Amino acid sequence: GPRQAAGEARRWTREGAEALAQLKARSMELKWKAKADLLGGAADALGQAGRALAEAHPGGSLPPARSVQDAAAHSEAQGAASNAALSGVGQEEALAALGAVQDVLGERGKNVHVLGAALRLLAAAGVLAGDRAPHCAAWRVVFPALVGLLRDSARVVANAAMAAADALHLRCFRLGDPAALGFIVNELRTLGGGGGGGKAAGKA
């Protein structure tokens, strides 16, 4: 039920938050593989949290995102067992994860595997945050960067960017025609020659 799903999701979001805390504390000393592993671990944990919430919600999709305070008020108004209680779970962790993605995208000499893991984290955090994501400060950095990475010369990065954009479309942003995303991506790649399997830009 909703209570069990919320408990499971909170366990996963705590795990994701712990990985990001390690990343923040040790960012300057970590080699690229360790950094990619922490980002990937956080992405997996937030992804699991999102799936736990979706499975408990009618229709098998995530509930509309709300702040923790708004969710608590809404849940109280609807009754303690309401599925609305699920909508605030993981929100703060998801927004913090978007901030971590912003930090990675702002680094110089990024390794392609670190970028790929950061894009996976962007997808998981964005799906969890839902329509709250575009209203956080990090989104003004990560969303334009995501669009640019769709035409990255490294295939692993371009593919991760496409997967992230596909996951976030209709959850965090919406194009007029659901099929437009694929068309835009193809046009970007044609113009920029992206996704061609380039090499790492350097080590983080």
Side-chain angles (χ1 to χ4, degrees), residues 85-204:
L86 299 173
S87 60
V89 176
Q91 290 297 295
E92 301 311 313
E93 293 86 351
L95 296 179
L98 292 176
V101 173
Q102 178 185 0
D103 291 342
V104 171
L105 295 179
E107 295 174 352
R108 299 179 63 182
K110 295 175 285 291
N111 177 276
V112 293
H113 300 291
V114 172
L115 263 180
L119 288 166
R120 285 178 51 217
L121 179 58
L122 169 58
V127 167
L128 201 55
D131 54 11
R132 288 192 68 200
H135 300 287
C136 75
W139 188 259
R140 292 195 289 270
V141 174
V142 300
F143 187 68
L146 171 63
V147 174
L149 291 171
L150 289 168
R151 54 186 291 188
D152 195 90
S153 61
R155 184 174 297 276
V156 65
V157 174
N159 288 347
M162 180 62 218
D166 191 47
L168 299 177
H169 185 218
L170 305 181
R171 179 68 178 165
C172 299
F173 71 95
R174 180 182 297 272
L175 300 175
D177 179 354
L181 178 61
F183 174 78
I184 290 170
V185 170
N186 286 334
E187 288 299 301
L188 283 171
R189 290 183 173 178
T190 298
L191 289 170
K199 296 181 179 180
K203 293 188 177 181

Side-chain angles (χ1 to χ4, degrees), residues 71-83:
H74 188 85
S75 180
E76 184 176 350
Q78 297 295 321
S82 171
N83 280 330

Side-chain angles (χ1 to χ4, degrees), residues 1-91:
R3 290 179 183 274
Q4 183 178 356
E8 183 179 354
R10 288 190 182 97
R11 178 173 65 82
W12 283 114
T13 55
R14 282 196 299 270
E15 185 173 314
E18 288 169 4
L20 292 177
Q22 289 185 51
L23 177 66
K24 185 174 182 178
R26 302 173 54 209
S27 180
M28 299 301 293
E29 67 186 60
L30 290 174
K31 300 297 184 183
W32 70 263
K33 187 178 186 309
K35 186 176 292 187
D37 286 345
L38 286 172
L39 288 165
D44 290 342
L46 293 188
Q48 290 280 13
R51 284 187 285 275
L53 294 174
E55 288 173 2
H57 194 257
S61 60
L62 280 166
R66 292 187 177 88
S67 69
V68 173
Q69 294 82 359
D70 289 347
H74 188 85
S75 180
E76 184 176 350
Q78 297 295 321
S82 171
N83 280 330
L86 299 173
S87 60
V89 176
Q91 290 297 295

